[in-house]
Amino acid sequence: MLRHTMLLSFCAAVSLTALSAARAADSDTTTPPVATETTTTCTDGKIWNEEKKECVAPEDLKPAEGTPAEGTTPEDKAKTEEQKKTERKIDDKLYEAAREFAYAGQHENALRALRAAYDQEDPRILNYMGYNTRKLGDMARGMAYYKRALQKDENYILARSYMGLALIEQGDIEGARVQLVEIRDRGGENTWAYRALLQSLGGERTTY
């Protein structure tokens, strides 16, 4: 029994490590998204659907409603897992479209894409909601999104970096330095998230 418990604990630790690695990878994104038909051909906030070879509304990336109730048989569970994979795949497409819109200065379209995501509590969705909301002039609401992202995952250092940049805009240099230290202490000193915030602080490292 003890051996089984130790094995479960080990597996959980490995899973958390993998999640942290994924967050770190997302936090080191330095390459702007490549412009696709989403911003070169589509209009009105639509997204290019590679399968259909046409522009579609973000909301239309989702399959038709009518998800069956979760059952207890292996077949039902398999369907549920497959559904989750599909939802994650769609959320990935919406997130990438939002990044492309944002880099093109289309912040309203970016928000529309993010609002169409299945998982509205995904830290990366919340963080980018904060970024685009802030860019549209609503600093208070943008900061609220950053805080929600960190409530979901306090180790999501990209949200800490974006929050730090927002704090600098508000003149709260000390608050931005606190976020820089948080990023460093969470193992993010060699990431874009750390470097971007450090540069915005004039390259001034903190010692506390």
Side-chain angles (χ1 to χ4, degrees):
M1 182 65 179
L2 178 60
R3 185 176 181 180
H4 178 68
T5 302
M6 292 176 65
L7 179 60
L8 288 176
S9 298
F10 174 75
C11 291
V14 170
S15 297
L16 287 173
T17 300
L19 178 60
S20 297
R23 294 294 187 217
D26 191 24
S27 303
D28 208 30
T29 301
T30 57
T31 305
V34 176
T36 69
E37 288 87 345
T38 293
T39 51
T40 62
T41 301
C42 301
T43 58
D44 301 322
K46 291 183 178 179
I47 297 172
W48 180 254
N49 187 311
E50 188 62 34
E51 291 77 19
K52 295 182 178 180
K53 301 297 181 183
E54 65 181 17
C55 300
V56 300
E59 300 80 10
D60 291 341
L61 285 180
K62 297 180 179 180
E65 293 293 335
T67 302
E70 182 176 355
T72 56
T73 67
E75 291 78 9
D76 290 329
K77 290 181 180 179
K79 288 180 182 178
T80 301
E81 286 303 313
E82 189 61 33
Q83 180 184 346
K84 289 179 180 178
K85 289 181 181 179
T86 299
E87 291 180 359
R88 284 194 294 267
K89 186 176 180 181
I90 290 173
D91 281 2
D92 287 344
K93 289 182 179 180
L94 289 166
Y95 177 72
E96 288 305 317
R99 287 192 71 229
E100 186 176 342
F101 280 134
Y103 270 82
Q106 300 179 33
H107 300 293
E108 288 283 6
N109 290 337
L111 287 174
R112 180 183 176 185
L114 294 168
R115 292 190 187 106
Y118 280 100
D119 188 359
Q120 290 295 302
E121 295 303 308
D122 183 337
R124 64 176 180 167
I125 298 294
L126 290 169
N127 178 55
Y128 225 50
M129 288 284 284
Y131 172 75
N132 286 283
T133 299
R134 173 166 65 92
K135 287 299 182 180
L136 286 170
D138 193 341
M139 178 65 77
R141 194 174 181 187
M143 291 295 287
Y145 278 120
Y146 293 144
K147 291 175 182 177
R148 278 178 60 191
L150 292 173
Q151 285 174 353
K152 294 298 177 181
D153 183 359
E154 62 182 12
N155 292 316
Y156 191 35
I157 59 177
L158 190 58
R160 293 191 177 280
S161 182
Y162 277 42
M163 179 185 283
L165 295 173
L167 289 168
I168 291 174
E169 287 184 21
Q170 297 175 79
D172 187 357
I173 305 302
E174 187 63 22
R177 287 174 179 162
V178 169
Q179 292 306 318
L180 186 70
V181 171
E182 288 286 351
I183 295 171
R184 181 198 67 192
D185 291 350
R186 295 171 192 278
E189 192 166 3
N190 294 318
T191 64
W192 175 88
Y194 183 88
R195 293 192 300 271
L197 184 52
L198 177 64
Q199 183 177 8
S200 295
L201 284 167
E204 182 179 346
R205 294 175 182 271
T206 54
T207 56
Y208 58 87

